[in-house]
Amino acid sequence: MSFSVTLRDVTLKYGDTEALSDVDLDLEADKIYGLLGRNGAGKTTLLSLLAAFRRPTAGEVLVDGRPVWENAEVVSRVALVREGGDFDDTDKVEAAMKSGEIRPDFDLDYALELAEKFELPLDRKIRDLSRGKRSVLAAICGLAARAELTMYDEVHLGMDAPTRDGFYKALLAEYLERPHTVILSTHLIDEVANYLEEVVILDRGGILRHEPIETLQGVGATLTGPAGAVDEVVAGLEVLAEQRLGGTKSVTVGTELDAQSRERAAASGIELGPVGLQDLFIHLTEPDRTGA
Amino acid sequence: MPADTNLKLPTRRYSIGFGVAWEAHKYFKWWFAVIIVLAMVTPPAVFQFSSTEIEVSAWEFAAYSGKIFSAIVAGTFLYTMFPNALAQGLTRREFATSMGLFGPVWSLILGALALAGFILEHLWYGLFDWNQAIQRGDRDLALDSLGAVLTHGVTYPLSYLLFFAGGALIGAACYRWDGGWLILVPVAPVVFSLDFALTRADPWGPGWFRWLTGLSGDASSPVAAAAMVVVIAALAWIGRAILLETPVRAKKA
């Protein structure tokens, strides 16, 4: 039984700075979530609360409907894999893997199998690993934890493209074999988009959007054409960004165009284009969303 | 993998405590071996070259340095292991309990080693007709019988545990706060003061430190031992309280 996540009015302050402000969030179990946000948006802070690395200043953090703080039943089945992992640098790779057996469900055989697949040298000290190999070790420990809620916070940093691809495939295979809740926090948005079922976008310490990936991918459109015609079609719609070059205007809208608007746009010579998840994210989180 | 190699949730805190103590001793086994050899070989070597009779215990220096070593091990192990243990899904309470077992087991094993070293040295010195004595300023404490050796050596496990508890508290404070090392200021004098009182040793260090740590000098050994037990419990309780509210630090880029 994998874990759901609930945050109620959660605020976390570092001194006078609010990293998260009155956050409410519900994540169902057995799904793969993407956690997106600009630097400093509060992604790592949110994940730290879910792993009980920190206690919120206010509000309630529930995992599987139970408070996560100091709850051995819960935290032993929650894994937060941070960039580079949390290891004793003087340990050897194999020893670091074996330390995962603190967890009731850690699968050492699986970890060793992945280490072989990713060519991780077991007898090397962690401090002697390259950044990429260290990231691989962290990812392997996250996969082999067999946790009910596994969170990867920028764990791919340092991995080359084939290794990242291998990691995503291993993650998906593990998920299909044993459905559980996964949260991927990343800046490589388009790279992971195909694996995500829902996306949570954080901005300035709050939840900006929480939607199924299909909804987000279908939510926007880019209209490019004569300025007057574009303005006419987008009138009344949520404009995410606009750019103008001479008499040509390009407008990104955050709402799906109905059939009538599409017909009108086509008749006016307006070109319609999709908005990728990364483009939409950039538009949604721009400090000045009009792009002026 | 065989399922029974994974730790069981209700008892893993105890397994980890004993396991870390065992692994720590295994990790330092060669250090201990070198110290034992040095302590046993140095006196005959000195005698060979200076022809002066050996009158002080060389093992005392090794055993005494074990106190500082225990504090360092406690502090550095706690500082390093805390974030990693929590990242592996341990709670703060479980970690604190593990450290609470690690300390006594470490101190018992190291204390047993210290006592065995004194007994071995007593027999070793006996072969050469040397006096085994502990330097105490202008008066030496003669270990002229196995009973005297036992009386002296038996205090070490308690001393090691006291230093371990002090080191662990300093380690916890250093992890919790950037200026956490300042807790050294009250902890060190208390720890040294009680240890001086128990072992009837002369305080050392700068004048203010000697004065501070010499305050308990008039306490009898049973009183000093009882005070040690109370202080060990207090240090452990404060350390645990600090750990229970300590967040895992953000990783540096």
Side-chain angles (χ1 to χ4, degrees), chain B residues 53-54 123-132:
Chain B
E53 193 122 322
I54 302 297
L123 301 173
W124 182 238
Y125 278 21
L127 292 177
F128 299 94
D129 279 334
W130 295 334
N131 294 322
Q132 187 188 23

Side-chain angles (χ1 to χ4, degrees), chain A residues 18-137:
Chain A
E18 277 197 2
L20 291 174
S21 309
D22 292 322
V23 170
D24 285 298
L25 180 67
D26 288 290
L27 303 181
E28 291 171 28
D30 292 343
K31 285 188 176 177
I32 301 181
Y33 295 89
L35 181 62
L36 312 181
R38 300 174 76 98
N39 292 331
K43 303 186 296 297
T44 298
T45 300
L46 178 66
L47 297 181
S48 297
L49 291 175
L50 296 180
F53 280 17
R54 295 190 161 272
R55 197 204 273 273
T57 311
E60 204 175 19
V61 180
L62 305 175
V63 172
D64 193 36
R66 296 175 280 178
V68 69
W69 183 259
E70 287 299 279
N71 189 332
E73 281 282 345
V74 174
V75 295
S76 63
R77 290 175 170 83
V78 171
L80 169 55
V81 186
R82 305 196 287 180
E83 189 222 332
D86 287 278
F87 305 113
D88 179 353
D89 282 3
T90 60
D91 267 348
K92 289 187 174 176
V93 169
E94 190 170 12
M97 284 182 174
K98 283 182 176 168
S99 70
E101 289 180 306
I102 289 176
R103 294 180 181 279
D105 300 317
F106 188 86
D107 190 338
L108 184 61
D109 279 349
Y110 180 48
L112 294 170
E113 185 187 310
L114 288 171
E116 192 177 343
K117 180 181 172 185
F118 287 103
E119 298 175 342
L120 197 59
L122 296 177
D123 58 347
R124 192 171 298 174
K125 292 213 168 180
I126 293 170
R127 64 175 172 227
D128 297 330
L129 292 177
S130 66
R131 190 184 185 198
K133 288 293 184 196
R134 199 182 159 111
S135 296
V136 167
L137 173 61

Side-chain angles (χ1 to χ4, degrees), chain A residues 6-27:
Chain A
T6 307
L7 274 76
R8 288 279 166 270
D9 300 324
V10 168
T11 295
L12 191 133
K13 288 183 180 178
Y14 296 111
D16 294 334
T17 310
E18 277 197 2
L20 291 174
S21 309
D22 292 322
V23 170
D24 285 298
L25 180 67
D26 288 290
L27 303 181

Side-chain angles (χ1 to χ4, degrees), chain A residues 155-222:
Chain A
V155 74
H156 55 269
L157 291 179
M159 290 184 196
D160 56 26
T163 308
R164 288 202 303 274
D165 186 57
F167 164 60
Y168 299 140
K169 283 177 177 156
L171 173 70
L172 193 60
E174 221 278 299
Y175 174 77
L176 291 173
E177 184 195 326
R178 190 187 62 85
H180 59 291
T181 311
V182 178
I183 303 177
L184 279 171
S185 170
T186 180
H187 290 299
L188 300 179
I189 298 168
D190 282 341
E191 203 168 282
V192 299
N194 289 339
Y195 301 96
L196 306 179
E197 291 173 83
E198 291 188 16
V199 173
V200 177
I201 300 178
L202 274 175
D203 192 38
R204 295 168 214 177
I207 306 287
L208 186 64
R209 292 283 176 105
H210 174 198
E211 309 269 9
I213 184 93
E214 298 83 6
T215 308
L216 273 177
Q217 284 176 328
V219 80
T222 303

Side-chain angles (χ1 to χ4, degrees), chain A residues 274-292:
Chain A
V275 178
L277 186 57
Q278 181 157 303
D279 291 332
L280 185 64
F281 165 75
I282 292 167
H283 285 305
L284 288 172
T285 58
E286 257 177 352
D288 179 356
R289 280 175 46 181
T290 62

Side-chain angles (χ1 to χ4, degrees), chain A residues 55 70 85 101 103 109, chain B residues 1 6 92-93 245 251:
Chain A
R55 197 204 273 273
E70 287 299 279
E101 289 180 306
R103 294 180 181 279
D109 279 349
Chain B
M1 107 186 234
N6 287 68
R92 290 160 181 79
R93 277 189 177 80
E245 288 300 323
K251 296 196 71 144

